[in-house]
Amino acid sequence: MSDQVLILAIETSCDETAAAVVRDGREICSTVVASQADLHARYGGVFPEMASRQHIKTIQAVVQDALDGAGMTLAGIDALAVTRGPGLPGSLVVGVNLAKGLALASGLPLIGVNHLEGHIYAAWLAGYDREPQFPLVALVVSGGHTELVLMKDHLVYESLGSTLDDAAGEAFDKTARLLDLGYPGGPRIQKAAEDGNPQRFDFPRAWLEGSLDFSFSGLKTAVLRQVQSLQEAPGGIPVSDIAAGFQEAVIDVLVTKTLRAAQEREARSIVVAGGVSANKPLRQAFESAAEIPVFIPPLALCTDNAAMIAAAGHYRFQAGQRDGLNFDILPNWPLSELETAAFRLEA
Ligand code: KG4
Ligand code: ZN
């Protein structure tokens, strides 16, 4: 593998407008994330049309900032990577079209990257002294996805389990709304849970009889019932205790199933990625329970960013992937449908 490959990546799959320059898939030269969270907070979730318009307003400045931050121009870049999906169509199209424009103007190769693959590759950015070893089990827990996958090699995914209903982040967001904590829900539940007693309420865990799939709808309903039954309670709803009980139930299932998958598949490392992996008690639970190395990116690389897209783009670039200018966005694009065979890395 040649050294010194500089990738400029663009990420606009949801409500963060992001660009980054990454060297050799590991070293972040610059990373810029313009969050729209405040804009969407008053709607209690992402408002797709508004997200798209905001991306259009900020994307050029964000890309310019990323280049400036790395101290370079397009002339110093070797390839462009962009999130092709999954995500909101009106958001994805903004990043993809800008990336195509830049590729056309500069003649640089362009690589379409799967957003979930990007989350996993954030683990390669996290530290420079070691990297995840294959085979590995990766848990991707974001606002839209909960996926447990086996990676026997770079870019090769075997689906082990996924959610049957809500994604883990979605469960956090919906529960936060139920508890009037606002958006985004994950960090607010985490904060509220700090002063809570997780044992006060016995919330259900969906083990699904030996399956590695997940389900959070029963838990969500249990929280709803609890909130309704305590509506008239003196002192009001015990938000902290409910948040703590909910959070513990989610963590319990995520950690237990991931460790089981790792054991069954004789994994040498575990990667935990996606917005929910920013959750502190979840990180602690993995670190204290796992007997093999666990890679969880630093907080800023857990939630959506473009450095992770550059990292995944780097491995695809090295494997020979080139996407030309006529590819379309893929708003629904499961990891299991990635074209890996054609782009296997040379050992
Ligand atoms: O990966 P991400 O930034 O965007 C998507 O690709 O969806 O994930 C966003 C999700 C949201 O549901 C948010 O509530 C959740 O990640 N999240 C957290 C925490 N920080 C963000 N969930 C639990 N605890 C956190 N600290
Ligand atoms: Zn994401």
Side-chain angles (χ1 to χ4, degrees):
M1 218 188 281
S2 70
D3 267 358
Q4 294 286 315
V5 173
L6 281 153
I7 300 220
L8 168 65
I10 297 172
E11 149 69 40
T12 62
S13 67
C14 191
D15 61 340
E16 321 279 10
T17 316
V21 175
V22 170
R23 192 191 313 272
D24 293 333
R26 308 210 61 189
E27 188 191 333
I28 298 174
C29 304
S30 66
T31 175
V32 180
V33 179
S35 174
Q36 305 178 5
D38 292 346
L39 204 69
H40 299 286
R42 77 185 102 138
Y43 303 103
V46 178
F47 188 155
E49 177 62 25
M50 196 175 283
S52 172
R53 282 194 221 170
Q54 193 63 22
H55 285 310
I56 293 168
K57 276 191 203 157
T58 50
I59 186 75
Q60 290 197 27
V62 166
V63 171
Q64 190 60 55
D65 280 357
L67 283 169
D68 293 347
M72 58 185 71
T73 64
L74 270 186
I77 298 292
D78 296 297
L80 302 164
V82 65
T83 306
R84 185 178 179 189
L88 299 170
S91 290
L92 287 168
V93 83
V94 178
V96 165
N97 283 345
L98 181 70
K100 285 181 180 177
L102 292 175
L104 186 63
S106 64
L108 286 171
L110 176 59
I111 299 152
V113 172
N114 179 290
H115 180 81
L116 304 174
E117 181 174 57
H119 273 304
I120 294 173
Y121 272 89
W124 271 263
L125 290 166
Y128 304 112
D129 53 338
R130 53 176 200 157
E131 58 180 70
Q133 300 295 306
F134 300 109
L136 65 81
V137 164
L139 173 72
V140 186
V141 270
S142 70
H145 296 269
T146 302
E147 305 277 346
L148 196 54
V149 294
L150 176 72
M151 283 179 82
K152 289 190 179 147
D153 200 348
H154 278 295
L155 313 179
V156 184
Y157 306 93
E158 181 186 330
S159 176
L160 302 176
S162 57
T163 183
L164 304 178
D165 38 62
D166 291 345
E170 196 179 356
F172 269 95
D173 293 336
K174 286 179 176 171
T175 302
R177 210 175 306 159
L178 215 69
L179 296 173
D180 261 338
L181 290 172
Y183 173 85
R188 299 187 186 207
I189 295 258
Q190 180 184 314
K191 181 100 194 53
E194 278 170 13
D195 319 311
N197 170 10
Q199 260 85 54
R200 174 159 170 201
F201 301 106
D202 188 19
F203 289 127
R205 275 84 165 140
W207 297 115
L208 307 176
E209 291 188 37
S211 147
L212 291 171
D213 285 331
F214 300 91
S215 166
F216 298 106
S217 67
L219 173 60
K220 191 182 62 191
T221 308
V223 172
L224 174 66
R225 294 228 177 87
Q226 201 58 255
V227 168
Q228 285 169 339
S229 76
L230 292 167
Q231 210 73 261
E232 310 296 328
I237 295 164
V239 171
S240 292
D241 292 343
I242 294 177
F246 162 83
Q247 181 174 259
E248 193 167 273
V250 174
I251 292 173
D252 195 5
V253 175
L254 292 177
V255 173
T256 306
K257 291 204 177 207
T258 305
L259 294 189
R260 206 179 79 222
Q263 196 180 27
E264 284 173 10
R265 307 308 292 259
E266 297 181 359
R268 293 173 66 202
S269 46
I270 291 172
V271 168
V272 188
V276 179
S277 65
N279 186 272
K280 229 181 185 173
L282 176 75
R283 300 166 79 91
Q284 285 161 349
F286 266 112
E287 269 146 24
S288 61
E291 286 168 3
I292 52 175
V294 183
F295 292 80
I296 313 178
L299 293 191
L301 297 175
C302 288
T303 46
D304 289 350
N305 65 88
M308 67 186 200
I309 302 302
H314 173 82
Y315 286 92
R316 292 199 159 268
F317 179 69
Q318 296 289 38
Q321 178 173 338
R322 305 288 184 269
D323 284 320
L325 291 176
N326 61 352
F327 69 87
D328 214 345
I329 57 165
L330 293 172
N332 301 302
W333 191 17
L335 272 175
S336 54
E337 282 178 20
L338 282 182
E339 281 180 62
T340 50
F343 306 121
R344 287 291 290 275
L345 284 176
E346 296 301 318

